């Protein structure tokens, strides 16, 4: 209706989203500072190629994935189709960035004669990436592209939400394992003496956990979930009628 006040976000939501973005940008800056100050920076076809791996994984599998999860909380009053598309695009971008990081570590290992996929970090990280790719493909198939029935979407939606949060947790866990592994390989002799590099890397780990906690808190607050718009409820009923053969009143056609 003309003259109606614009819809507002629930109390506290904007503040928590802002904190999450501040933490996310800080952890990216901290990752860059660690690699630049103590690991020589990042370059592709050089001995520094490996450093693209931690940078890409933090950017893709943590920051971009976290922002993709927050889309439905931030864009509460936008068209559902637009929100879905942005959600899928951010996850897709996260996958591309993470793939670059994976390629970097494999090429770096091959150039240096280092074996692949032997550590707990590599097992957890690769499993997380493969499951994340599968989650993205299934999400696009069920929700973004036409074809899945209303009942099938309804059945899969809780699984999609659960595995989305689970994969976000696994991504942060894999990053923490990777930070620890890198520190033990690079500064194992001095790590226990609270050297600056160790303190900075530990700080990065704390920021990863803090980012995950804030994003998780926003996602699990029931009153902060995106409310369905009136037109979405009508479209949902129409979609159910077409795919399930039911009338809006619930009877069979």
């Amino acid at each position: 209706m003309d003259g109606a006040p614009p819809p507002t976000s629930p109390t506290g939501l904007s503040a928590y989203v802002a904190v999450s973005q501040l933490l996310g940008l800080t952890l990216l800056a901290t990752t860059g500072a660690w690699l630049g100050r103590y690991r020589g920076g990042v370059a592709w076809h050089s001995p520094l190629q490996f450093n693209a791996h931690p940078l890409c994984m933090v950017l893709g599998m943590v920051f971009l994935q976290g922002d993709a999860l927050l889309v439905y909380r931030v864009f509460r009053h936008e068209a559902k189709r637009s929100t879905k598309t942005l959600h899928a695009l951010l996850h897709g971008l996260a996958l591309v960035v993470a793939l670059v990081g994976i390629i970097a570590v494999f090429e770096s290992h091959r150039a240096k004669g280092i074996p692949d996929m032997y550590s707990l970090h590599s097992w957890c990280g690769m499993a997380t990436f493969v499951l994340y790719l599968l989650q993205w493909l299934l999400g696009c198939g069920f929700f973004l592209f036409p074809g899945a029935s209303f009942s099938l979407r309804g059945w899969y939606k809780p699984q999609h939400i659960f595995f989305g949060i689970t994969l976000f947790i696994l991504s942060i866990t894999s990053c923490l394992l990777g930070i620890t592994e890198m520190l033990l390989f690079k500064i194992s002799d001095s790590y226990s003496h609270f050297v600056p590099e160790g303190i900075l890397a530990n700080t990065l780990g704390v920021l990863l956990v803090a980012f995950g906690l804030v994003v998780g808190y926003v996602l699990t607050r029931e009153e902060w979930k995106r409310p369905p718009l009136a037109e979405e409820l009508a479209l949902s009923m129409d979609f159910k009628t077409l795919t399930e053969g039911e009338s809006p009143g619930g009877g069979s056609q």
Side-chain angles (χ1 to χ4, degrees):
M1 184 174 64
D2 292 339
T8 58
S9 297
T11 303
L13 174 59
S14 297
Y16 273 92
V17 171
V19 170
S20 75
Q21 297 311 288
L22 179 60
L23 285 171
L25 293 174
T26 304
L27 71 87
L28 288 176
T30 304
T31 304
W34 177 28
L35 298 175
R37 174 67 177 83
Y38 297 103
R39 297 292 110 210
V42 178
W44 192 254
H45 293 296
S46 80
L48 299 176
Q49 184 175 11
F50 174 85
N51 292 344
H53 175 70
L55 182 61
C56 287
M57 304 320 279
V58 170
L59 172 59
M61 297 297 288
V62 178
F63 182 66
L64 289 177
Q65 183 181 177
D67 276 5
L69 295 175
L70 291 175
V71 159
Y72 286 105
R73 302 298 185 271
V74 175
F75 300 100
R76 301 170 53 79
H77 307 291
E78 305 298 326
K80 185 69 171 289
R81 183 72 180 181
S82 300
T83 310
K84 280 184 183 180
T85 301
L86 179 59
H87 178 74
L89 285 174
L90 283 174
H91 278 308
L93 180 59
L95 280 166
V96 171
V97 172
L99 181 60
V100 172
I102 291 173
I103 292 172
V105 73
F106 276 105
E107 288 193 355
S108 175
H109 281 184
R110 183 169 62 250
K112 297 176 182 179
I114 300 174
D116 297 314
M117 299 302 298
Y118 66 90
S119 68
L120 178 61
H121 164 64
S122 62
W123 287 16
C124 291
M126 186 58 70
T128 301
F129 177 80
V130 171
L131 291 173
Y132 187 39
L133 174 60
L134 179 61
Q135 165 90 343
W136 183 73
L137 292 173
L138 288 173
C140 289
F142 275 96
F143 302 118
L144 197 58
F145 302 117
S149 68
F150 187 86
S151 60
L152 197 57
R153 288 186 179 189
W155 169 82
Y156 180 66
K157 184 178 179 180
Q159 329 303 323
H160 185 73
I161 294 172
F162 170 77
F163 283 109
I165 296 177
T166 299
L167 286 168
F168 182 58
I169 295 171
L170 288 174
S171 297
I172 292 175
T173 302
S174 297
C175 286
L176 294 175
L177 288 171
I179 291 170
T180 302
E181 182 178 295
M182 191 169 173
L183 289 174
L184 292 177
F185 282 165
K186 301 297 184 181
I187 59 169
S188 58
D189 294 336
S190 58
Y191 185 27
S192 61
H193 299 295
F194 295 94
V195 293
E197 180 178 359
I199 294 173
L200 182 62
N202 287 349
T203 301
L204 173 59
V206 172
L207 288 169
L208 284 165
V209 173
F211 179 73
L213 289 174
V214 174
V215 171
Y217 183 73
V218 173
L219 294 176
T220 54
R221 283 285 296 267
E222 190 71 26
E223 63 270 29
W224 289 353
K225 289 186 177 180
R226 181 185 185 277
L229 305 179
E231 56 269 26
E232 293 171 6
L233 293 174
L235 287 172
S236 178
M237 186 61 70
D238 290 341
F239 179 81
K240 183 175 182 180
T241 301
L242 290 172
T243 58
E244 304 296 336
E246 296 179 1
S247 67
S252 301
Q253 286 184 330

